[in-house]
Amino acid sequence: MNNQISLIGRIVREPEVKELDGGKKVSNITVAIPRSYKNADGEYEKDYIDVSIWGDMAKNTVEYCKQDDLIGVRGRIESKLIDNEDGTKTKKYNIIAERVSFLSTAKTKREVKETEDLDEPEM
C-alpha cells in the first residue's frame, strides 16, 4: 500500500515555526491550489490544503518562504476524527511533508515586475 501525495500551490499566510515539548519544531501552513476548471461564474476556485512540516524543513521553510510563495510538497495524508461541540465527529485531513521545494517567491515576482517597469518607456 502507498500513501503519497504531491502538491504545488501558494502559501496562504506567513509561515511560523513552533517548538514543541522535547524541542521538536513544526510549521503548520495552508497551501492554496487552484482547480483546473472554472465555476459557473467563470472563476477558478481553490482548494486549501493543510500541511505540517517538521524539523529542519520547517525552519528552512519559514526562513526562505513568505505568504504567496509557490511551493511544492511531497508527503503523506494523515486523517483524524475531531469531536464537534454538537456531539458529531468530523474527519480532518492533513499532509505530513516529507519534502518541500521552493519554486518561486513573491520577492522574485516583485523584482521581475520592477524590472519590467524599468524597461517600459515613459509617456
Side-chain angles (χ1 to χ4, degrees):
M1 289 180 241
N2 190 14
N3 178 357
Q4 190 169 24
I5 188 166
S6 296
L7 309 169
I8 296 176
R10 296 207 177 271
I11 299 173
V12 173
R13 62 186 160 277
E14 293 296 320
E16 297 176 359
V17 170
K18 293 180 184 175
E19 189 164 334
L20 305 177
D21 295 337
K24 288 186 178 182
K25 293 181 172 83
V26 65
S27 179
N28 294 306
I29 64 170
T30 301
V31 178
I33 304 168
R35 295 181 181 169
S36 60
Y37 56 88
K38 294 181 180 180
N39 63 18
D41 296 327
E43 298 173 354
Y44 290 101
E45 294 181 7
K46 295 178 184 154
D47 291 303
Y48 295 90
I49 311 294
D50 294 328
V51 178
S52 294
I53 307 169
W54 291 88
D56 288 338
M57 263 192 316
K59 190 178 105 185
N60 290 338
T61 300
V62 169
E63 184 175 342
Y64 294 107
C65 294
K66 301 291 180 220
Q67 181 177 347
D68 291 331
D69 286 354
L70 186 66
I71 64 168
V73 176
R74 188 183 73 209
R76 68 184 184 342
I77 300 173
E78 189 174 85
S79 65
K80 62 181 171 181
L81 287 177
I82 296 180
D83 294 321
N84 298 320
E85 290 180 12
D86 63 1
T88 61
K89 294 186 182 283
T90 302
K91 192 177 284 188
K92 176 157 173 52
Y93 294 95
N94 190 50
I95 306 303
I96 306 301
E98 295 169 354
R99 181 180 175 105
V100 176
S101 300
F102 309 145
L103 302 177
S104 76
T105 65
K107 180 180 177 185
T108 304
K109 289 186 291 188
R110 284 191 303 273
E111 288 171 352
V112 168
K113 177 67 176 140
E114 289 169 2
T115 303
E116 288 172 353
D117 290 344
L118 293 174
D119 292 340
E120 294 178 16
E122 292 185 25
M123 299 193 151

